[in-house]
Amino acid sequence: MKSKGYIWVLKFKIVLAVASLALGVLLCEMVLHVFYPQVFRRPEVWRFDAELGWSHVADSAGRLVSPEFDVEIRINSMGLRDREYARGKPAGSRRIALFGDSFVEGWGMPIDRVLNRQLEICLQEGGERVEVANFGVAGYGTDQALLFFEQEGQRFDPDEVLLFFYSNDLWNNASRKGIGSERGYKPYFRVQRDGRLDLQGVPVKKTNFWDRDNYNSMAFSTRLQRYLFEHWHLYKLARKALQPEVPPGQQQAFYEGLYGADEAQRFEPAWALTGRLLQAFKKRVEAYGARLTVVYVPSIVQVERDNWQTKRELHGLLGEFDLQKPNIRMAGFAEKYDLRLIDLLADFEQRAKTETLYLRDSHWNAAGHALAATSLCANLHGGKP
């Protein structure tokens, strides 16, 4: 009898311990959810694309969730994060098409706060009949934007095309795979000896990331891990603490190519390729009777100098850096290839003295989108191709 009673007490203690542990985990999860959220969830509004690497799913919708935001992403019948547009341009109206990556797409922002909507309103308040369409796709470099224009952009019949260049486009252009939250292969160009751009990597190879059938056939444990990673803050925090850091050499190369002296010209091929892509974009746009304007998107390290200092210390970056280097290179391309260039850096530096313009993930917040729209509106109002 005594041993049987001992067993029941032991079982009770085990159950109590398990219940206490579960309660502790739930309490930690609740605290993280409220005060220190961790999860990141992507809606299924992007799909594999054999020509572009990835693209939007037409007529789809979902919520994009991160520790900073929870917003709806809705894609129209043309595959744009935008409202519907008539295929034919309204008589007496000007059309402007915006191409670029997640900055143009409006990462983390409700659609009514995104750049193209704000720019359209500003131009219309100036008395214009104008439509400003959002052709931005997260993760796209200049190369994919060029192919997207050829595939879909010219059907919009734009008078103006604005191509946005952000610093990581340098690496997107040089890479055979996506370098952001998009994973998998992509089309890419290489400059031939005669200066010609040669498209390679198509049709694009599909990876497991884009293969839903592959996901459904995964082991239960693998799918459970993915579910916990996308829905449980505590699990995500633990994984973040245990996973290895990005190798310092990789961070060094990323920033050195963008802002470093590069006396050995290690990164010159990537810059030269970007220049050729900008030139090709201009030729393709003009062939359709429109005008191209390249817009330089300043990075958070250029605008918030304390952010740059933090990154230097965090990644142990060595050497001399010139944060104006991308602007100088873009100005050089503008002169060499006769490009119209709008550099937003000065406006952002001035406004940043009194207002925060970026999310902590380095994308524009609502104030950043509004400032970019105001700056572009002043440059584009009444413009003719």
Side-chain angles (χ1 to χ4, degrees):
M1 292 293 294
K2 184 176 180 180
S3 61
K4 187 177 293 187
Y6 173 77
I7 292 174
W8 277 107
V9 170
L10 181 61
K11 288 182 177 179
F12 176 77
K13 288 182 177 181
I14 292 174
V15 171
L16 184 62
V18 171
S20 299
L21 178 61
L23 180 61
V25 169
L26 289 175
L27 286 174
C28 288
E29 180 67 17
M30 291 173 61
V31 170
L32 287 173
H33 176 76
V34 175
F35 298 105
Y36 194 43
Q38 297 290 318
V39 299
F40 173 76
R41 292 199 297 274
R42 291 164 45 102
E44 292 187 16
V45 299
W46 294 275
R47 65 178 177 87
F48 170 75
D49 189 305
E51 296 181 5
L52 298 169
W54 56 89
S55 59
H56 288 144
V57 179
D59 296 315
S60 63
R63 302 202 71 82
L64 178 65
V65 181
S66 87
E68 289 189 89
F69 52 76
D70 181 346
V71 297
E72 182 185 51
I73 304 291
R74 185 173 293 276
I75 308 302
N76 70 12
S77 61
M78 293 175 62
L80 311 181
R81 191 194 177 198
D82 210 335
R83 68 175 187 273
E84 295 290 343
Y85 292 95
R87 283 290 182 178
K89 181 166 56 181
S93 179
R94 182 160 67 121
R95 279 186 161 179
I96 303 174
L98 276 52
F99 283 81
D101 59 11
S102 49
F103 277 85
V104 178
E105 186 186 58
W107 190 264
M109 289 293 106
I111 189 61
D112 61 326
R113 309 302 292 275
V114 175
L115 170 62
N116 73 299
R117 293 286 180 87
Q118 297 296 313
L119 177 58
E120 183 177 84
I121 291 171
C122 182
L123 291 170
Q124 289 175 345
E125 288 175 346
E128 290 195 61
R129 293 187 61 189
V130 60
E131 295 178 325
V132 183
N134 181 354
F135 283 80
V137 180
Y140 272 16
T142 313
D143 50 5
Q144 288 162 293
L146 171 61
L147 295 172
F148 190 31
F149 172 78
E150 293 180 330
Q151 182 190 86
E152 197 67 37
Q154 50 88 18
R155 298 181 188 176
F156 181 65
D157 193 16
D159 301 292
E160 302 258 359
V161 174
L162 270 59
L163 172 63
F164 289 72
F165 179 87
Y166 180 65
S167 57
N168 66 9
D169 289 339
L170 177 72
W171 306 121
N172 279 315
N173 296 338
S175 177
R176 302 183 180 193
K177 296 182 109 178
I179 67 170
S181 57
E182 287 67 38
R183 305 173 196 171
Y185 294 97
K186 57 179 279 293
Y188 60 95
F189 289 87
R190 291 293 178 260
V191 181
Q192 303 304 303
R193 290 185 176 181
D194 59 1
R196 180 177 54 87
L197 283 174
D198 183 33
L199 176 62
Q200 301 179 19
V202 288
V204 177
K205 178 183 175 183
K206 181 187 283 191
T207 63
N208 291 340
F209 180 79
W210 295 113
D211 195 336
R212 175 54 55 181
D213 291 336
N214 177 276
Y215 171 76
N216 291 333
S217 65
M218 288 180 179
F220 173 76
S221 59
T222 302
R223 283 183 287 164
L224 176 62
Q225 287 179 28
R226 180 174 292 188
Y227 175 83
L228 292 174
F229 190 80
E230 294 180 349
H231 295 85
W232 279 75
H233 301 269
L234 185 60
Y235 181 83
K236 179 70 178 289
L237 184 63
R239 282 282 300 270
K240 188 187 298 184
L242 294 174
Q243 69 185 9
E245 297 182 0
V246 177
Q250 186 175 326
Q251 293 288 358
Q252 178 72 29
F254 180 89
Y255 289 104
E256 189 177 338
L258 288 172
Y259 309 114
D262 192 22
E263 295 178 356
Q265 295 196 319
R266 175 185 172 193
F267 306 105
E268 185 57 29
W271 282 108
L273 172 61
T274 292
R276 289 291 187 178
L277 287 168
L278 294 173
Q279 179 191 34
F281 214 126
K282 178 177 184 288
K283 289 181 177 179
R284 308 287 174 83
V285 168
E286 291 179 346
Y288 287 109
R291 177 177 71 170
L292 176 71
T293 297
V294 178
V295 181
Y296 180 79
V297 177
S299 66
I300 190 172
V301 299
Q302 293 179 298
V303 176
E304 299 180 6
R305 294 307 170 95
D306 58 338
N307 185 284
W308 168 241
Q309 203 54 45
T310 298
K311 283 187 170 63
R312 285 205 67 166
E313 296 172 0
L314 177 65
H315 304 307
L317 302 179
L318 304 174
E320 296 296 322
F321 295 90
D322 179 4
L323 296 182
Q324 297 279 342
K325 177 181 173 180
N327 309 74
I328 295 171
R329 294 305 304 257
M330 294 301 290
F333 291 145
E335 181 177 358
K336 182 176 181 179
Y337 299 120
D338 191 26
L339 300 168
R340 185 168 186 248
L341 174 67
I342 298 176
D343 189 338
L344 298 177
L345 178 57
D347 288 346
F348 270 70
E349 284 182 317
Q350 182 63 32
R351 184 66 64 83
K353 295 176 182 178
T354 58
E355 194 171 6
T356 300
L357 303 171
Y358 293 83
L359 299 170
R360 291 306 89 195
D361 73 357
S362 300
H363 288 92
W364 286 333
N365 61 16
H369 278 269
L371 175 58
T374 301
S375 299
L376 292 172
C377 185
N379 280 276
L380 297 172
H381 180 65
K384 300 295 181 183

